[in-house]
């Protein structure tokens, strides 16, 4: 829709989080400009992304459910093995996830997800997205606006800047440079690295199943997307104590890791296929340090800049929470900003004076959930990599006890997902998903009286 609120947002970062913000602003009539440093929005880099029910629910509210289900694969089960190929746990927790929340977790190829998010924007919104834009500075201009300057000499002016530019966020660096103590200069720690590679879909692992091999300081995780005919392999490993955060990994580092006997012999499924056997079949690969941390005490600077997603908090991806956390950030921020701007009316002074409060309310709403996901992600990474004997004992002895995985889903994971947020200003015909566990925040409906009637015709996923 054409802009209806007298603000303009400059989104820095054209990944899934930034594009989701673009969808929300477009639907709410909030003017925006999105700047992406890459030459192509959907550049084929990175591997897979998992959306859990509370994340898929947000996408459904934006009208993207059918398009995403056409490119995603539901994860229905999981198998955990030791390095000798012995399965010590076969879990149906993804099935329980569907029972509790109405849909399986969905696995996507990252490039396909980004392409879909971009192509489903209306043409008027896509025209506000600019690629090859490397942001070099962010500064105030007379009148209270913010100006973003790019390396090619172009500049863009808006009411505030939304930093969705990931772990190496230039918006976060700008906030840190302008903020007085006690903002933490470097809130991130790096204990693990992630080596990933993609393969053609192999018959050794069902496409609807997650597969993991757990070992001391190592974990191999395999996810597949049958609609893309690709299998994603992720190798987590503990970094040495003397690892420098500034170290840049090279292709030689990747080859050296893969050639190590403890890595090359890791099984890929139950057919005897190993990493060494599959490596020549890879189509892409990469390696990255896994930063962990939450920016404190603020995620914004005044009324001018605010962070979402990995720019504000970074978790290890073992349980696939990163994008879901970023989507919830977008929902909370958009709710706070749109509701405040709507209440401020046409007074520009009130809008500029109150955005700082809206940004603070956004962080306050999100912080507890972010800390929970941060802790869960870190614990599971150390559990699957057997960081010490306590983690190994829990993984090998406690987790296989019948009912433990069910208990963890029902008592830990599901309550967190049930608190998932929705856009309060975007109405839909009906709640897209219903399960045994009720959502704490109801979906705004076009016709509130249609809710119960709509349940009768709801599709099953």
């Amino acid at each position: 829709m054409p802009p209806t609120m007298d603000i303009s947002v400059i989104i820095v970062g054209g990944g899934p989080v930034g594009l989701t913000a673009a969808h929300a602003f477009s639907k709410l009539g909030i003017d925006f400009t999105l700047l992406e440093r890459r030459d192509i929005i959907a550049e084929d880099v990175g591997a897979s992304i998992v959306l859990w029910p509370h994340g898929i629910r947000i996408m459904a509210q934006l009208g993207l459910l059918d398009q995403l289900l056409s490119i995603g694969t539901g994860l229905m089960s999981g198998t955990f093995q030791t390095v000798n190929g012995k399965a010590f746990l076969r879990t149906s927790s993804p099935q329980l996830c569907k029972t509790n929340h109405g849909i399986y977790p969905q696995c996507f190829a990252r490039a396909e997800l980004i392409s879909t998010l971009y192509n489903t924007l209306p043409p008027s919104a896509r025209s506000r997205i600019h690629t090859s834009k490397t942001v070099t500075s962010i500064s105030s201009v007379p009148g209270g606006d913010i100006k973003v300057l790019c390396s090619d000499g172009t500049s863009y002016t808006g009411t505030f800047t939304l930093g969705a530019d990931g772990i190496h966020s230039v918006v976060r660096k700008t906030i840190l440079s302008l903020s007085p103590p006690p903002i933490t200069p470097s809130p991130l720690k790096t204990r693990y690295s992630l080596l990933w590679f993609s393969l053609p879909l192999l018959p050794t692992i069902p496409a609807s199943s997650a597969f993991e091999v757990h070992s001391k300081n190592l974990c191999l995780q395999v996810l597949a997307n049958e609609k893309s005919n690709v299998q994603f392999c992720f190798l987590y490993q503990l970094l040495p104590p003397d690892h420098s955060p500034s170290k840049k990994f090279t292709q030689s580092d990747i080859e050296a890791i893969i050639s190590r006997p403890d890595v090359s012999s890791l099984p890929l499924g139950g057919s005897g296929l190993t990493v060494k056997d599959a490596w020549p079949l890879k189509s892409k690969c990469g390696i990255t340090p896994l930063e962990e941390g939450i920016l404190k005490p603020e995620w914004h600077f005044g009324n001018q800049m605010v962070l979402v997603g990995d720019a504000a908090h970074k978790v290890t991806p073992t349980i696939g929470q990163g994008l879901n956390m970023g989507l919830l950030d977008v929902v909370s921020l958009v709710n706070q900003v749109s509701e405040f701007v709507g209440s401020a009316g046409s007074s520009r002074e009130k809008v500029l004076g109150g955005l700082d409060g809206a940004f603070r309310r956004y962080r306050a709403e999100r912080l507890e959930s972010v800390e929970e996901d941060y802790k869960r992600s870190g614990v599971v990474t150390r559990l699957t990599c057997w960081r010490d004997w306590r983690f190994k004992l829990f993984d090998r002895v406690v987790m296989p006890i019948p009912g433990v995985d069910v208990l963890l889903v029902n008592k830990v994971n599901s309550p967190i997902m049930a608190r998932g947020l929705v856009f309060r200003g975007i109405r839909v015909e009906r709640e897209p998903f219903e399960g045994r566990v009720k959502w704490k925040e109801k979906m705004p409906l076009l016709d509130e009286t249609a809710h119960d009637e709509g349940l009768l015709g709801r599709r099953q996923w």
Side-chain angles (χ1 to χ4, degrees):
M1 66 171 65
T4 58
M5 295 189 184
D6 190 23
I7 62 171
S8 177
V9 184
I10 301 177
I11 305 170
V12 180
V17 174
L19 289 171
T20 300
H23 271 276
F25 290 143
S26 178
K27 283 189 172 293
L28 290 169
I30 296 176
D31 186 40
F32 73 89
T33 298
L34 188 151
L35 307 177
E36 166 56 37
R37 66 177 178 83
R38 298 185 189 277
D39 297 332
I40 303 171
I41 279 285
E43 187 175 346
D44 193 7
V45 296
S48 69
I49 288 176
V50 173
L51 281 178
W52 290 82
H54 55 325
I56 287 284
R57 187 175 181 233
I58 293 168
M59 295 301 193
Q61 189 181 14
L62 293 172
L64 305 175
L65 181 61
D66 289 340
Q67 294 92 331
L68 293 188
L69 291 179
S70 71
I71 62 171
T73 294
L75 299 176
M76 302 179 187
S77 63
T79 300
F80 304 153
Q81 292 187 355
T82 58
V83 293
N84 61 10
K86 179 182 178 181
F88 63 88
L89 175 62
R90 301 184 191 277
T91 179
S92 59
S93 57
Q95 176 64 56
L96 184 57
C97 183
K98 180 180 184 298
T99 299
N100 286 350
H101 305 288
I103 189 170
Y104 292 110
Q106 301 288 315
C107 176
F108 301 91
R110 186 180 188 275
E112 288 190 352
L113 177 63
I114 292 175
S115 178
T116 299
L117 290 174
Y118 175 76
N119 290 324
T120 49
L121 283 165
S124 59
R126 290 201 300 271
S127 69
R128 301 175 205 163
I129 294 177
H130 306 281
T131 56
S132 304
K133 298 295 180 181
T134 299
V135 173
T136 56
S137 68
I138 305 171
S139 58
S140 301
V141 297
D145 280 340
I146 198 86
K147 182 171 77 172
V148 176
L149 180 66
C150 299
S151 60
D152 61 1
T154 57
S155 63
Y156 301 84
T157 302
T159 311
F160 69 88
T161 300
L162 173 59
D165 47 343
I167 189 61
H168 303 294
S169 170
V170 66
V171 182
R172 182 180 69 239
K173 292 175 183 177
T174 304
I175 289 175
L176 291 173
S177 70
L178 296 173
S179 300
I183 288 254
T184 306
S186 181
L188 304 175
K189 61 181 180 181
T190 306
R191 299 289 183 268
Y192 292 84
S193 68
L194 175 63
L195 189 160
W196 62 270
F197 57 98
S198 56
L199 302 168
L201 201 59
L202 302 176
T204 57
I205 301 173
S208 58
S209 177
F211 170 83
E212 294 182 6
V213 179
H214 298 177
S215 180
K216 182 174 175 58
N217 297 333
L218 282 176
C219 172
L220 176 67
Q221 185 180 65
V222 183
L223 301 173
N225 186 306
E226 59 185 345
K227 293 170 184 173
S228 303
N229 194 37
V230 64
Q231 200 157 275
F232 301 101
C233 303
F234 304 92
L235 179 70
Y236 299 82
Q237 64 170 350
L238 182 70
L239 290 167
D242 60 351
H243 172 78
S244 171
S246 62
K247 173 180 170 56
K248 302 295 184 182
F249 289 103
T250 66
Q251 185 63 34
S252 297
D253 293 321
I254 295 175
E255 296 293 342
I257 292 170
I258 291 296
S259 64
R260 280 174 17 203
D262 62 330
V263 173
S264 64
S265 61
L266 291 173
L268 281 173
S271 66
L273 188 73
T274 66
V275 167
K276 180 179 179 179
D277 300 325
W279 183 248
L281 303 175
K282 71 182 184 304
S283 56
K284 295 190 296 292
C285 66
I287 186 170
T288 182
L290 295 180
E291 299 90 347
E292 302 173 76
I294 302 173
L295 184 63
K296 297 180 179 180
E298 301 295 347
W299 298 347
H300 75 286
F301 178 76
N303 60 5
Q304 299 177 329
M305 288 172 274
V306 63
L307 304 172
V308 292
D310 287 354
H313 43 74
K314 183 67 170 63
V315 300
T316 54
T318 317
I319 57 174
Q321 287 301 315
L323 176 56
N324 299 272
M325 296 168 69
L327 298 185
L328 291 168
D329 288 351
V330 168
V331 172
S332 177
L333 179 64
V334 168
N335 285 343
Q336 296 295 340
V337 169
S338 60
E339 290 170 358
F340 166 72
V341 172
S343 67
S346 59
S347 172
R348 179 171 175 79
E349 290 74 17
K350 287 184 178 180
V351 170
L352 292 176
L355 280 174
D356 177 82
F359 296 159
R360 291 182 188 277
R361 290 191 294 275
Y362 143 65
R363 183 181 183 276
E365 181 176 52
R366 286 289 297 129
L367 186 57
E368 181 180 354
S369 176
V370 165
E371 289 177 338
E372 288 176 336
D373 287 334
Y374 171 76
K375 184 179 296 184
R376 282 196 303 149
S377 298
V379 166
V380 173
T381 298
R382 287 153 179 80
L383 183 73
T384 57
C385 289
W386 295 353
R387 182 63 183 90
D388 57 34
W389 67 268
R390 295 166 297 179
F391 286 108
K392 180 179 180 181
L393 179 68
F394 191 89
D395 189 46
R396 289 288 285 110
V397 177
V398 178
M399 283 300 299
I401 296 174
V404 169
D405 58 338
V406 172
L407 181 68
L408 289 174
V409 171
N410 286 334
K411 297 300 183 181
V412 179
N413 298 347
S414 278
I416 291 174
M417 284 189 281
R419 297 198 300 269
L421 305 174
V422 293
F423 295 106
R424 292 193 286 269
I426 299 176
R427 294 186 174 272
V428 297
E429 291 184 1
R430 61 191 178 203
E431 170 65 59
F433 310 118
E434 290 277 346
R436 185 172 60 191
V437 177
K438 300 302 180 184
W439 300 107
K440 300 298 183 184
E441 190 166 321
K442 291 186 177 180
M443 187 77 72
L445 302 179
L446 290 169
D447 181 0
E448 294 292 338
T449 63
H451 178 64
D452 293 333
E453 297 173 4
L455 296 181
L456 299 176
R458 183 169 296 111
R459 292 179 288 177
Q460 298 296 311
W461 310 108

